[in-house]
Amino acid sequence: MATQSQKNSEQIIKLQGEIKLIHNKISTIKDNHLAHLDAKVNSIYKLLWAVGLISLSTLLNLISNLVS
């Protein structure tokens, strides 16, 4: 029959394995998924800038036509 010390040792080993697994999953998320999300956010920012510039140029064109 296993003593309490042996049971604790087995639990510690099990927890260490789970911590390593969690660390690997966090690394995967950080290195892979965040890079993809960053690229998507950057493309959305570019799209917003393009829409903003088109809107501004249309507004300026409208104002110049009303002034003339």
Side-chain angles (χ1 to χ4, degrees):
M1 185 167 152
T3 65
Q4 186 63 36
S5 178
Q6 289 172 335
K7 289 178 186 177
N8 289 342
S9 178
E10 290 172 1
Q11 283 294 96
I12 289 172
I13 292 170
K14 180 181 174 185
L15 289 173
Q16 287 174 340
E18 289 177 6
I19 289 172
K20 287 179 184 179
L21 180 63
I22 291 171
H23 177 71
N24 286 339
K25 288 183 178 184
I26 289 173
S27 295
T28 300
I29 290 170
K30 184 177 72 174
D31 296 336
N32 190 17
H33 299 303
L34 290 180
H36 290 260
L37 289 174
D38 185 48
K40 289 181 181 181
V41 168
N42 286 337
S43 67
I44 291 172
Y45 279 141
K46 290 176 186 176
L47 179 66
L48 287 175
W49 273 105
V51 169
L53 288 174
I54 291 170
S55 299
L56 180 64
S57 65
T58 303
L59 181 64
L60 291 175
N61 188 19
L62 178 65
I63 292 171
S64 69
N65 287 338
L66 288 176
V67 171
S68 318

